[in-house]
Amino acid sequence: MISRGLVNTYHNWFDNYIGQFLNKYPELEENIQIKADHCRKVAKEIVGIAQSLMLGEREVLLAETIGLFHDIGRFMQYVKYQTFSDSKSQNHAELGVEVLKEKNILKDLTEDKREIIHKSILNHSKAEIIPDSNEKVIYYSKLVRDADKLDIWRLITEYYMVKEQKSARLSLEQAGPTGGKNKTLELELLDSNSISEKVIQAILNKKVVLKESLKTLNDFKLLQIGWLFDLNFEYSIKRLYEKKYLEKIFKTLPRNEKVFQIQRIVDEYFEQHIKTFTHEGSC
Ligand SMILES: [Fe+2]
């Protein structure tokens, strides 16, 4: 049966697993630490969402486990290929499920719970959730997709802000050969001023931007803004709004009519949902 004690052993296992990578690949420490920190924070975010939905203790613990392990494949992916781009390497969600199976981490859980964890991990990074007759798979997949997005917004806004400050303060020479950039986090995309038409059209229609359409770093930022329309729970929308993550991303984009148009759609979407929150709050 899942318990606090068991989930604590998962956290300990996770810390040891990361420790092994850090020992073996000290030169890759920065990005290993970024991803490890992300996994731990997604575990916290998913607990926040699960609690807002008044789930029971065991359901919250199962959600926490999925959050912690959702990106466990990232470490093997990174040391093997030195990229976080699945298309340039291997699907990191599939790799993660392989790691969990191979190390037999979830041996103390029932087959039913293992299935929910594996399938939620496989679904977390897909453009859309794969249809499944097990409603729990769909539900936990929605939870981890929201939690993952919330923490990626935290991570990238911190990163974009530091990067902007660095480039404002330092000349390229002073900032070093990379100019303060982390090309791996930027998926090695071109940092030019342009935005691809396919990406703009997808967002204007509130559709998921496909990774295949990405050509520039601005396209990637817009893909991340468009995740708003894919959030599943009101709590997540409210949290995103309160943290002002999208406002911060908009500040790093070129100021032109297309970007303003997207900003208006985002504002309207928030307004509609915030009205719902206010209404709920007043009942
Ligand atoms: Fe993630």
Side-chain angles (χ1 to χ4, degrees), residues 35 38-39 42 67 70-71 74 92 124 148-149 152:
K35 281 291 170 193
H38 166 68
C39 292
V42 169
H70 82 284
D71 261 353
R74 283 296 191 195
H92 76 280
H124 92 269
D148 189 29
K149 290 180 175 78
I152 296 176

PDB file of all heavy atoms in Angstrom, residues 35 38-39 42 67 70-71 74 92 124 148-149 152, ligand 1:
ATOM      1  N   LYS A  35      17.441  19.808 -13.839  1.00  0.00           N
ATOM      2  CA  LYS A  35      16.366  18.820 -14.029  1.00  0.00           C
ATOM      3  C   LYS A  35      15.978  18.138 -12.721  1.00  0.00           C
ATOM      4  O   LYS A  35      14.806  17.822 -12.502  1.00  0.00           O
ATOM      5  CB  LYS A  35      16.764  17.769 -15.073  1.00  0.00           C
ATOM      6  CG  LYS A  35      16.631  18.244 -16.497  1.00  0.00           C
ATOM      7  CD  LYS A  35      15.176  18.441 -16.928  1.00  0.00           C
ATOM      8  CE  LYS A  35      15.112  19.134 -18.270  1.00  0.00           C
ATOM      9  NZ  LYS A  35      13.786  19.639 -18.623  1.00  0.00           N
ATOM     10  N   HIS A  38      13.834  20.473 -10.900  1.00  0.00           N
ATOM     11  CA  HIS A  38      12.528  20.498 -11.568  1.00  0.00           C
ATOM     12  C   HIS A  38      11.673  19.299 -11.119  1.00  0.00           C
ATOM     13  O   HIS A  38      10.496  19.469 -10.784  1.00  0.00           O
ATOM     14  CB  HIS A  38      12.750  20.487 -13.088  1.00  0.00           C
ATOM     15  CG  HIS A  38      11.524  20.184 -13.888  1.00  0.00           C
ATOM     16  ND1 HIS A  38      10.441  21.040 -13.956  1.00  0.00           N
ATOM     17  CD2 HIS A  38      11.189  19.104 -14.655  1.00  0.00           C
ATOM     18  CE1 HIS A  38       9.513  20.503 -14.730  1.00  0.00           C
ATOM     19  NE2 HIS A  38       9.939  19.332 -15.158  1.00  0.00           N
ATOM     20  N   CYS A  39      12.255  18.104 -11.077  1.00  0.00           N
ATOM     21  CA  CYS A  39      11.493  16.909 -10.672  1.00  0.00           C
ATOM     22  C   CYS A  39      10.942  17.077  -9.257  1.00  0.00           C
ATOM     23  O   CYS A  39       9.772  16.792  -8.996  1.00  0.00           O
ATOM     24  CB  CYS A  39      12.383  15.660 -10.702  1.00  0.00           C
ATOM     25  SG  CYS A  39      12.872  15.195 -12.366  1.00  0.00           S
ATOM     26  N   VAL A  42       8.132  19.648  -9.316  1.00  0.00           N
ATOM     27  CA  VAL A  42       6.896  19.144  -9.934  1.00  0.00           C
ATOM     28  C   VAL A  42       6.160  18.266  -8.912  1.00  0.00           C
ATOM     29  O   VAL A  42       4.922  18.296  -8.825  1.00  0.00           O
ATOM     30  CB  VAL A  42       7.188  18.389 -11.248  1.00  0.00           C
ATOM     31  CG1 VAL A  42       5.952  17.645 -11.749  1.00  0.00           C
ATOM     32  CG2 VAL A  42       7.646  19.371 -12.315  1.00  0.00           C
ATOM     33  N   GLY A  67       4.798  12.892 -10.039  1.00  0.00           N
ATOM     34  CA  GLY A  67       5.515  14.156 -10.222  1.00  0.00           C
ATOM     35  C   GLY A  67       7.016  13.966 -10.089  1.00  0.00           C
ATOM     36  O   GLY A  67       7.799  14.425 -10.931  1.00  0.00           O
ATOM     37  N   HIS A  70       8.364  11.801 -13.143  1.00  0.00           N
ATOM     38  CA  HIS A  70       7.891  12.026 -14.515  1.00  0.00           C
ATOM     39  C   HIS A  70       9.049  12.259 -15.498  1.00  0.00           C
ATOM     40  O   HIS A  70       8.943  11.912 -16.665  1.00  0.00           O
ATOM     41  CB  HIS A  70       6.891  13.191 -14.571  1.00  0.00           C
ATOM     42  CG  HIS A  70       7.523  14.533 -14.613  1.00  0.00           C
ATOM     43  ND1 HIS A  70       8.072  15.136 -13.515  1.00  0.00           N
ATOM     44  CD2 HIS A  70       7.739  15.389 -15.649  1.00  0.00           C
ATOM     45  CE1 HIS A  70       8.577  16.305 -13.865  1.00  0.00           C
ATOM     46  NE2 HIS A  70       8.391  16.491 -15.151  1.00  0.00           N
ATOM     47  N   ASP A  71      10.154  12.860 -15.016  1.00  0.00           N
ATOM     48  CA  ASP A  71      11.287  13.153 -15.911  1.00  0.00           C
ATOM     49  C   ASP A  71      12.512  12.309 -15.578  1.00  0.00           C
ATOM     50  O   ASP A  71      13.636  12.724 -15.894  1.00  0.00           O
ATOM     51  CB  ASP A  71      11.656  14.644 -15.775  1.00  0.00           C
ATOM     52  CG  ASP A  71      11.068  15.504 -16.899  1.00  0.00           C
ATOM     53  OD1 ASP A  71      10.502  14.935 -17.846  1.00  0.00           O
ATOM     54  OD2 ASP A  71      11.184  16.741 -16.816  1.00  0.00           O
ATOM     55  N   ARG A  74      15.220  11.877 -18.129  1.00  0.00           N
ATOM     56  CA  ARG A  74      16.028  13.015 -18.593  1.00  0.00           C
ATOM     57  C   ARG A  74      17.519  12.832 -18.331  1.00  0.00           C
ATOM     58  O   ARG A  74      18.347  13.334 -19.091  1.00  0.00           O
ATOM     59  CB  ARG A  74      15.580  14.300 -17.874  1.00  0.00           C
ATOM     60  CG  ARG A  74      14.306  14.900 -18.401  1.00  0.00           C
ATOM     61  CD  ARG A  74      14.464  15.361 -19.827  1.00  0.00           C
ATOM     62  NE  ARG A  74      13.348  16.158 -20.293  1.00  0.00           N
ATOM     63  CZ  ARG A  74      13.138  16.428 -21.567  1.00  0.00           C
ATOM     64  NH1 ARG A  74      13.948  15.947 -22.496  1.00  0.00           N
ATOM     65  NH2 ARG A  74      12.111  17.156 -21.935  1.00  0.00           N
ATOM     66  N   HIS A  92      12.103  10.930 -23.932  1.00  0.00           N
ATOM     67  CA  HIS A  92      12.566  10.841 -22.536  1.00  0.00           C
ATOM     68  C   HIS A  92      11.530  10.211 -21.611  1.00  0.00           C
ATOM     69  O   HIS A  92      11.882   9.662 -20.563  1.00  0.00           O
ATOM     70  CB  HIS A  92      12.993  12.228 -22.012  1.00  0.00           C
ATOM     71  CG  HIS A  92      11.866  13.145 -21.673  1.00  0.00           C
ATOM     72  ND1 HIS A  92      11.176  13.866 -22.611  1.00  0.00           N
ATOM     73  CD2 HIS A  92      11.293  13.464 -20.487  1.00  0.00           C
ATOM     74  CE1 HIS A  92      10.237  14.593 -22.007  1.00  0.00           C
ATOM     75  NE2 HIS A  92      10.294  14.361 -20.718  1.00  0.00           N
ATOM     76  N   HIS A 124       2.877  12.556 -20.147  1.00  0.00           N
ATOM     77  CA  HIS A 124       3.150  13.905 -19.654  1.00  0.00           C
ATOM     78  C   HIS A 124       3.697  14.835 -20.731  1.00  0.00           C
ATOM     79  O   HIS A 124       3.419  16.024 -20.713  1.00  0.00           O
ATOM     80  CB  HIS A 124       4.060  13.891 -18.408  1.00  0.00           C
ATOM     81  CG  HIS A 124       5.525  14.008 -18.681  1.00  0.00           C
ATOM     82  ND1 HIS A 124       6.334  12.914 -18.865  1.00  0.00           N
ATOM     83  CD2 HIS A 124       6.334  15.080 -18.810  1.00  0.00           C
ATOM     84  CE1 HIS A 124       7.566  13.333 -19.082  1.00  0.00           C
ATOM     85  NE2 HIS A 124       7.601  14.637 -19.055  1.00  0.00           N
ATOM     86  N   ASP A 148       3.759  19.847 -14.380  1.00  0.00           N
ATOM     87  CA  ASP A 148       4.985  19.975 -15.175  1.00  0.00           C
ATOM     88  C   ASP A 148       5.045  21.358 -15.825  1.00  0.00           C
ATOM     89  O   ASP A 148       6.067  22.048 -15.771  1.00  0.00           O
ATOM     90  CB  ASP A 148       4.983  18.868 -16.241  1.00  0.00           C
ATOM     91  CG  ASP A 148       6.303  18.764 -16.979  1.00  0.00           C
ATOM     92  OD1 ASP A 148       7.341  19.091 -16.390  1.00  0.00           O
ATOM     93  OD2 ASP A 148       6.291  18.346 -18.156  1.00  0.00           O
ATOM     94  N   LYS A 149       3.933  21.772 -16.416  1.00  0.00           N
ATOM     95  CA  LYS A 149       3.905  23.091 -17.080  1.00  0.00           C
ATOM     96  C   LYS A 149       4.169  24.199 -16.066  1.00  0.00           C
ATOM     97  O   LYS A 149       4.954  25.110 -16.324  1.00  0.00           O
ATOM     98  CB  LYS A 149       2.553  23.320 -17.755  1.00  0.00           C
ATOM     99  CG  LYS A 149       2.338  22.432 -18.975  1.00  0.00           C
ATOM    100  CD  LYS A 149       0.995  22.697 -19.610  1.00  0.00           C
ATOM    101  CE  LYS A 149       0.802  21.923 -20.892  1.00  0.00           C
ATOM    102  NZ  LYS A 149       0.467  20.508 -20.688  1.00  0.00           N
ATOM    103  N   ILE A 152       7.809  24.278 -15.316  1.00  0.00           N
ATOM    104  CA  ILE A 152       8.641  24.716 -16.465  1.00  0.00           C
ATOM    105  C   ILE A 152       8.528  26.235 -16.618  1.00  0.00           C
ATOM    106  O   ILE A 152       9.512  26.920 -16.876  1.00  0.00           O
ATOM    107  CB  ILE A 152       8.264  23.996 -17.777  1.00  0.00           C
ATOM    108  CG1 ILE A 152       8.557  22.499 -17.643  1.00  0.00           C
ATOM    109  CG2 ILE A 152       9.054  24.565 -18.953  1.00  0.00           C
ATOM    110  CD1 ILE A 152       8.147  21.666 -18.840  1.00  0.00           C
TER     111      ILE A 152
HETATM  112 FE    FE B   1       9.023  17.934 -16.527  1.00  0.00          FE
END
